């Protein structure tokens, strides 16, 4: 029976687990930047020796085989505390392998997570990656360059914002997104919620190609529900003209479980990509 005392004990366990996790992350960072980079190399070696990277190569290369333009740059959101969190560390190691596979120089990859510690920011700099200075809430334009977006386990609003910012066939067709399965989002959400809160995900589904990363027992929690998405221009051009007409910035006024950290509110604006061909 779930008595009040029982609920209090459960909450206590959760609080203890939370404190223990924070202490573990602090302890793992105590070794300094050299220790963080060493553990990252170990994670990379694990991805290679376990066969997961080799098994993922087909999904990673699928957009190129499907006619997508090779990416010239990369943007990464939501890595998390890789200095102390093994899952985040493996995701960063996978990103570095991905950049090497697609021949994107580390200096052409920009990274942002508001949770990064100064030690983690320094480690990213040592890896040659660039830090985005501001919280864009995912609203990053491709700026005319084919761009890979690496967004493993990010909130749905982040993907929706990214699509809004690049809402034109010309821009979307030059993007590849590695992140939460759009098909999975469609399956898990009621249609009315998807269309109301995440309308750009809903509208782009018929213009999307998607290949899932393989399942691996060692990385079930790290890369579960992760897919590679791209948007062939031919499929986008088959969408009805009405799909491209509404390009208002998402506000999420009716969304009860917004999964992103927002910066201060700004005025509503139209998608800057709307004028692109």
């Amino acid at each position: 029976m779930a008595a009040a005392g029982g609920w209090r004990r459960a909450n206590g366990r959760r609080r203890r687990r939370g404190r223990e996790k924070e202490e573990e992350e602090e302890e793992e960072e105590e070794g300094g930047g050299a220790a963080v980079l060493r553990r990252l190399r170990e994670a990379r070696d694990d991805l290679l020796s376990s066969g997961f990277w080799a098994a993922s190569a087909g999904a990673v290369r699928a957009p190129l085989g499907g006619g997508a333009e090779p990416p010239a740059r990369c943007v990464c959101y939501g890595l998390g505390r890789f200095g102390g969190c093994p899952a985040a560390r493996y995701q960063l190691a996978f990103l570095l392998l991905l950049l090497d596979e697609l021949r994107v120089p580390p200096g052409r990859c920009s990274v942002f997570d508001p949770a990064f510690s100064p030690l983690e920011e320094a480690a990213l700099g040592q890896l040659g990656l660039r830090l985005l200075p501001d919280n864009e809430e995912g609203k990053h334009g491709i700026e005319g360059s084919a761009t890979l977006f690496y967004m493993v386990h990010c909130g749905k609003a982040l993907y929706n914002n990214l699509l809004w910012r690049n809402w034109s066939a010309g821009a979307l067709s030059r993007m590849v997104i590695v992140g939460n399965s759009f098909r999975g989002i469609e399956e898990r959400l009621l249609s009315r919620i998807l269309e109301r809160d995440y309308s750009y995900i809903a509208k782009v589904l018929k213009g999307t190609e998607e290949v899932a990363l393989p399942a691996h027992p060692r990385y079930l929690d790290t890369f579960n529900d992760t897919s590679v998405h791209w948007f062939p221009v031919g499929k986008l051009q088959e969408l009805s003209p009405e799909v491209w007409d509404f390009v208002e910035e998402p506000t999420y006024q009716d969304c009860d479980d917004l999964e992103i950290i927002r910066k201060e509110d700004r005025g509503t604006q139209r998608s800057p990509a709307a004028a692109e061909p």
Side-chain angles (χ1 to χ4, degrees):
M1 189 169 91
W7 286 118
R8 282 197 293 272
R9 286 195 296 272
N11 288 336
R13 286 195 297 272
R14 284 196 293 270
R15 284 195 294 271
R16 284 196 297 274
R17 283 197 296 269
R19 286 196 299 271
E20 289 167 0
K21 183 177 179 181
E22 291 174 2
E23 290 169 1
E24 178 185 343
E25 291 180 354
E26 290 172 1
E27 288 172 3
E28 291 202 24
E29 281 200 357
E30 280 179 0
V36 170
L37 293 173
R38 174 179 54 77
R39 286 191 290 270
L40 184 59
R41 288 193 296 271
E42 292 170 352
R44 175 185 181 276
D45 292 344
D46 282 346
L47 290 173
L48 292 171
S49 64
S50 68
F52 180 73
W53 170 252
S56 301
V60 165
R61 290 194 288 262
L64 301 182
E69 183 178 348
R73 56 195 287 266
C74 174
V75 175
C76 170
Y77 292 125
L79 268 179
R81 297 295 306 277
F82 62 89
C85 173
R89 192 178 307 130
Y90 279 112
Q91 289 166 8
L92 175 53
F94 190 96
L95 171 62
L96 296 174
L97 289 169
L98 183 60
L99 295 177
D100 187 59
E101 175 72 21
L102 299 178
R103 299 182 181 179
V104 177
R108 297 281 291 164
C109 181
S110 300
V111 185
F112 181 82
D113 192 311
F116 287 150
S117 69
L119 182 65
E120 288 164 334
E121 291 179 350
L124 292 168
Q126 288 183 268
L127 293 168
L129 304 175
R130 299 176 55 203
L131 289 170
L132 287 169
D134 300 311
N135 180 4
E136 302 174 319
E137 297 180 356
K139 300 167 188 174
H140 189 102
I142 66 165
E143 301 171 356
S145 298
T147 305
L148 167 70
F149 290 91
Y150 187 77
M151 308 168 61
V152 179
H153 295 170
C154 285
K156 294 182 286 294
L158 217 60
Y159 302 104
N160 197 57
N161 287 349
L162 175 63
L163 294 170
W164 165 78
R165 180 62 178 78
N166 296 281
W167 196 246
S168 72
L172 292 173
S173 64
R174 305 186 77 186
M175 293 169 47
V176 173
I177 300 175
V178 178
N180 294 6
S181 167
F182 283 12
R183 291 176 190 157
I185 292 173
E186 180 185 25
E187 290 169 359
R188 288 188 295 270
L189 281 184
L190 294 173
S191 295
R192 62 180 179 83
I193 301 297
L194 180 63
E195 293 169 6
R196 183 195 70 190
D197 294 340
Y198 310 107
S199 62
Y200 292 96
I201 296 176
K203 290 189 291 187
V204 85
L205 286 170
K206 291 183 179 179
T208 304
E209 293 284 353
E210 175 178 334
V211 176
L213 293 189
H216 191 288
R218 189 181 300 181
Y219 310 113
L220 290 179
D221 292 334
T222 305
F223 295 104
N224 64 302
D225 196 43
T226 300
S227 292
V228 180
H229 310 78
W230 68 102
F231 313 94
V233 67
K235 293 190 73 169
L236 294 172
Q237 290 172 344
E238 292 174 359
L239 300 179
S240 66
E242 292 78 15
V243 162
W244 307 105
D245 289 344
F246 184 82
V247 287
E248 297 302 315
E249 183 176 12
T251 60
Y252 309 105
Q253 292 179 350
D254 299 314
C255 184
D256 296 327
D257 61 343
L258 197 60
E259 302 163 321
I260 63 172
I261 296 174
R262 305 191 72 171
K263 60 182 178 179
E264 60 184 11
D265 292 334
R266 295 179 300 143
T268 300
Q269 59 187 70
R270 290 173 63 81
S271 168
E276 297 182 15

